[in-house]
């Protein structure tokens, strides 16, 4: 008899940060298709319509979705995300937290400014720390936290001094919280580690960076191409499922074998 019940997310409440486009939009939509009610977070006023489209697509599949504009780098905006999740939660609990939103520009060490550093660390590290702190009192037993890391955290890519450091920090946070929130809260905390993915972040990279990356892409063991959102989102959804209950503190490589 076929049995996919372990992958079902029916009735769960999920927060996906940065869900207006790219990977976050793909993850939010897939979690919705698996049965979750989803908070679709975004930051730029220009992304409102895109976020609303993601929410409509989720609702068309029969679950609830709520759009929430909040800047992850601003601590006073973080409660908006939690409030939105509680609005679509029949149980008053939050089950899934996907730390996807990120700043991802390149700068060589010599060009790195304090402003660049702060923009990346505030959005990619400070935001997830304080959003998790705000979600903690509401997280359901069996809950899931997933960070979207990057192969850049491990590969050592020129031009990623700050970005790579934020992503390595994400993986460290997952390992710490797996312990700190594991037995006490009954949740798992993991990272997914994509290589280059065909999203705005990738296509907005500067020309030289894309040129430098081409040999790496050509050498990707699984196939000589950048990844697609659909290569990554199902792995995130799997980590959110009951079937993934014995995996925590780990990094799931989703980069075609560039790095494990
Ligand atoms: N693309 C790649 O090659 C690649 C590779 C490895 C890992 N990743 C990681 O995958 C994740 C998604 O990347 P992506 O390529 O899908 O990015 P993207 O297309 O650039 O989209 C970024 C998303 O994050 C949101 N965002 C950015 N800063 C935010 C903030 N301060 N507060 C709230 N939301 C914010 C954006 O919202 P707005 O639309 O409102 O601006 C947008 O929804 C990131 O963590 C990234 O580091 C990407």
């Amino acid at each position: 008899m076929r049995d996919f019940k372990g992958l079902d997310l029916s009735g769960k409440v999920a927060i996906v940060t940065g869900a207006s486009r790219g990977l976050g939009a793909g993850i939010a939509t897939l979690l919705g298709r698996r049965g979750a009610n989803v908070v679709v977070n975004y930051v730029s006023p220009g992304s409102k319509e895109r976020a609303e489209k993601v929410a409509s697509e989720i609702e068309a599949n029969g679950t609830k979705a709520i759009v929430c504009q909040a800047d992850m780098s601003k601590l006073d905006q973080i409660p908006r995300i939690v409030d939105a999740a509680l609005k679509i939660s029949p149980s008053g609990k939050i089950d899934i937290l996907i730390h996807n939103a990120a700043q991802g520009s390149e700068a060589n060490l010599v060009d790195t400014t304090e402003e660049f550093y702060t923009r990346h660390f505030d959005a990619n590290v400070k935001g997830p720390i304080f959003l998790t702190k705000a979600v903690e009192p509401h997280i359901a037993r069996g809950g899931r936290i997933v960070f979207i890391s990057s192969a850049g955290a491990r590969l050592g890519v020129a031009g990623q001094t700050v970005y790579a450091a934020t992503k390595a920090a994400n993986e460290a946070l997952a390992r710490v919280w797996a312990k700190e929130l594991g037995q006490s809260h009954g949740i798992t905390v993991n990272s997914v580690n994509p290589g280059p993915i065909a999203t705005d972040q990738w296509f907005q990279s500067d020309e030289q960076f894309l040129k430098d990356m081409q040999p790496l892409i050509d050498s990707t063991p699984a196939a000589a191409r950048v990844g697609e959102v659909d290569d990554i989102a199902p792995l995130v959804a799997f980590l959110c499922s009951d079937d993934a209950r014995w995996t925590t503190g780990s990094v799931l490589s989703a980069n075609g074998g560039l790095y494990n």
Side-chain angles (χ1 to χ4, degrees), residues 20-21 23 43-44 47 71-72 100 103 163 167 195 197 199:
S20 50
R21 54 201 166 96
L23 187 51
V43 64
S44 322
S47 287
D71 186 337
M72 283 291 289
N100 168 80
Q103 293 291 305
Y163 175 70
K167 292 293 162 177
I197 323 166
T199 65

Side-chain angles (χ1 to χ4, degrees), residues 37-103:
N37 302 318
V38 187
V39 177
V40 177
N41 161 250
Y42 71 103
V43 64
S44 322
S47 287
K48 184 171 187 272
E49 251 175 60
R50 284 198 281 206
E52 283 169 354
K53 199 165 157 241
V54 173
S56 306
E57 223 175 300
I58 293 168
E59 288 190 325
N61 283 312
T63 64
K64 289 186 201 159
I66 187 165
V67 163
C68 176
Q69 184 190 23
D71 186 337
M72 283 291 289
S73 65
K74 305 258 166 47
L75 295 198
D76 61 340
Q77 297 189 18
I78 279 179
R80 288 185 204 167
I81 302 177
V82 179
D83 292 348
L86 295 176
K87 267 192 202 144
I88 54 167
S89 173
S91 64
K93 292 285 181 189
I94 299 169
D95 301 278
I96 295 168
L97 173 55
I98 311 293
H99 289 303
N100 168 80
Q103 293 291 305

